[in-house]
Amino acid sequence: MADTESCPLHCPSLEEIAAVLEGGLKKNYAEVHVKVVDCPDLTQDPFGFPVKGLSGKSRIVDVGGVPYLLPTPQLDKIYDINTVAKKIELPGAYILGAGACSHKSVGMIAEMIFSIKAESRTSPAVNGNYMASVNPGDNSCILEKYREKFSDNDFGLLSNLYASEGNPGKVIEVKVKRRTGKDNFVSCMRKSLKEHYQDKAVGMGGSFIIQEGKAKLHVMPREFAACPLNTDEDVDNWLHFFNMKAPLICQSVFVSHDPGFDLRVEHTHCFSHHGEGGHYHNDTTPDSVQYLGYFHPAEYLYRIDRPAVTHMIGRD
Ligand SMILES: [Zn+2]
């Protein structure tokens, strides 16, 4: 696998981050409650993760990038989660986040929703990833458990990941209701960190539930476009957009400031237990929406296989 760069992130106390998030979210939601709590057991419903928590040696990992997808895809960009875990010096890591499937593995373009424990010296990988694709028959969404169809632990093109030992521990609980601002839930948190910490980069990962309402999500079509996608408008015309219903469980990674690694600064993919999933844009029901999330800051940033030639298309 290609080059890996890394740097420490600014990692304030959970209490301090909670106060900053609460201040920013109050400008965008009618009801906001942010506090430090013991992480709920994430092996339980609705999460069903292979680990209990989000604590221990936390890292943000940005692998590949949108330039490997656009304007034309480089389908040979394939990564393996066990190698990623070794590259970030955390074999056996629990990894959540948002990215793309390996075309070689699944034979099409599809969204990956990460929830996977990498292999360690003593235990095999536990792959709880989901994949979302477009049904070519009726353009509906198909959400599948990756391990029910494939036995590898690969992904492709790009991914934004939060890795940790998956230990129980303290996390920041964020509860909001009724959106009054324009930005989505993750952008609100990211921008409030940026405003407070400026060029000190704070990276966060976690899982949140859209408990009430509906949300705009996209899923990439199975086939790539016949022509190169050169603008955001081209990309929007290629993607399939859906209005999906709660409850949606969303795997989210965000960084307040890019310290010069050509990062995608936020990326969130959602799964559900009713067959819907994909890439989160925003809720479409601001008056009734409710979010509940658990987040943890990362100590280090790792950048794997950064594209040599970059652009800012398709990063929404
Ligand atoms: Zn995505």
Side-chain angles (χ1 to χ4, degrees):
M1 200 177 294
D3 289 352
T4 303
E5 305 158 87
S6 67
C7 76
L9 289 166
H10 183 54
C11 202
S13 71
L14 298 181
E15 287 76 10
E16 186 182 313
I17 296 172
V20 173
L21 294 179
E22 184 163 78
L25 287 163
K26 278 187 170 161
K27 296 175 195 159
N28 292 277
Y29 293 88
E31 283 183 45
V32 177
H33 300 280
V34 185
K35 60 181 180 181
V36 178
V37 300
D38 288 314
C39 192
D41 183 348
L42 299 177
T43 65
Q44 301 299 306
D45 276 345
F47 303 101
F49 297 170
V51 295
K52 290 191 169 178
L54 301 173
S55 295
K57 298 187 178 170
S58 50
R59 287 109 159 76
I60 299 289
V61 197
D62 189 318
V63 186
V66 179
Y68 294 154
L69 174 68
L70 305 172
T72 51
Q74 297 178 35
L75 300 180
D76 58 335
K77 285 294 179 187
I78 296 165
Y79 311 94
D80 158 29
I81 210 76
N82 295 321
T83 310
V84 169
K86 286 178 192 136
K87 289 255 179 194
I88 64 170
E89 299 162 85
L90 202 57
Y94 170 68
I95 295 174
L96 62 77
C101 292
S102 158
H103 194 278
K104 189 179 172 199
S105 295
V106 308
M108 59 175 156
I109 294 174
E111 310 282 346
M112 188 82 96
I113 303 104
F114 286 88
S115 179
I116 180 166
K117 190 176 183 313
E119 70 182 8
S120 69
R121 268 200 299 266
T122 52
S123 57
V126 183
N127 193 333
N129 291 348
Y130 288 79
M131 61 181 277
S133 61
V134 176
N135 183 338
D138 61 3
N139 287 334
S140 63
C141 167
I142 300 178
L143 182 75
E144 296 167 294
K145 287 184 176 171
Y146 193 84
R147 69 169 173 271
E148 289 181 358
K149 297 195 76 175
F150 307 102
S151 56
D152 63 71
N153 300 298
D154 292 355
F155 61 98
L157 302 171
L158 64 101
S159 283
N160 300 89
L161 307 170
Y162 170 86
S164 74
E165 292 177 325
N167 296 332
K170 298 288 184 191
V171 292
I172 299 169
E173 180 186 78
V174 182
K175 283 186 195 175
V176 303
K177 286 185 191 176
R178 286 197 290 126
R179 179 165 57 84
T180 55
K182 285 221 169 359
D183 283 331
N184 74 34
F185 182 51
V186 180
S187 296
C188 288
M189 291 191 285
R190 178 176 59 79
K191 289 179 179 178
S192 49
L193 294 174
K194 170 71 178 176
E195 194 176 316
H196 187 83
Y197 294 109
Q198 299 290 318
D199 58 0
K200 290 183 199 161
V202 177
M204 306 278 295
S207 189
F208 65 88
I209 308 165
I210 303 174
Q211 296 175 299
E212 294 287 341
K214 290 189 160 187
K216 177 185 176 184
L217 278 72
H218 81 232
V219 180
M220 295 184 283
R222 293 185 172 203
E223 301 299 332
F224 206 75
C227 302
L229 302 174
N230 289 312
T231 66
D232 280 331
E233 194 184 0
D234 289 348
V235 176
D236 284 351
N237 287 331
W238 172 64
L239 293 171
H240 284 267
F241 288 93
F242 298 89
N243 194 25
M244 295 184 178
K245 65 174 194 275
L248 294 162
I249 302 102
C250 308
Q251 308 293 73
S252 187
V253 177
F254 54 100
V255 182
S256 65
H257 169 78
D258 182 352
F261 290 91
D262 191 25
L263 302 179
R264 185 172 192 155
V265 291
E266 68 176 77
H267 202 176
T268 302
H269 282 186
C270 320
F271 68 93
S272 69
H273 300 293
H274 57 267
E276 293 185 313
H279 173 113
Y280 166 77
H281 286 267
N282 203 350
D283 62 80
T284 57
T285 52
D287 293 340
S288 59
V289 78
Q290 281 188 37
Y291 291 90
L292 167 63
Y294 298 97
F295 302 94
H296 197 281
E299 296 165 11
Y300 289 93
L301 169 70
Y302 284 77
R303 185 72 177 95
I304 297 175
D305 196 21
R306 177 191 346 184
V309 178
T310 193
H311 57 64
M312 294 306 289
I313 304 162
R315 296 205 185 192
D316 185 10

